[in-house]
Amino acid sequence: MLLKDMGLLSDALTVFLGAVFALQRRRARRQGLRGGQAGAVSFIQFFGSALQVTPHFHLMGPSPW
């Protein structure tokens, strides 16, 4: 489904980023930081190492772990 509907794939990325950013905000609040903003650079890769069709996301941003 994700390969055929780029809008759906984009929505999945938005949900994923929202979850990561929410985790980062919660951890920052526990450390007494308020009002911070998260950011990331991401891209969608459509093929795996054996050239199988496997859409997945790559994300570069500050780690919450």
Side-chain angles (χ1 to χ4, degrees):
M1 293 283 300
L2 294 176
L3 287 173
K4 293 180 181 183
D5 187 348
M6 289 297 128
L8 182 60
L9 187 59
S10 177
D11 290 345
L13 177 58
T14 300
V15 169
F16 172 70
L17 289 174
V20 170
F21 293 161
L23 174 63
Q24 289 176 327
R25 285 191 301 273
R26 277 194 306 274
R27 289 184 177 206
R29 280 194 300 267
R30 282 189 217 135
Q31 295 179 7
L33 303 170
R34 303 254 181 239
Q37 293 187 358
V41 175
S42 62
F43 68 92
I44 302 169
Q45 182 173 339
F46 291 95
F47 295 95
S49 61
L51 295 180
Q52 72 276 27
V53 179
T54 54
H56 57 280
F57 306 123
H58 289 266
L59 171 70
M60 186 167 49
S63 173
W65 296 275

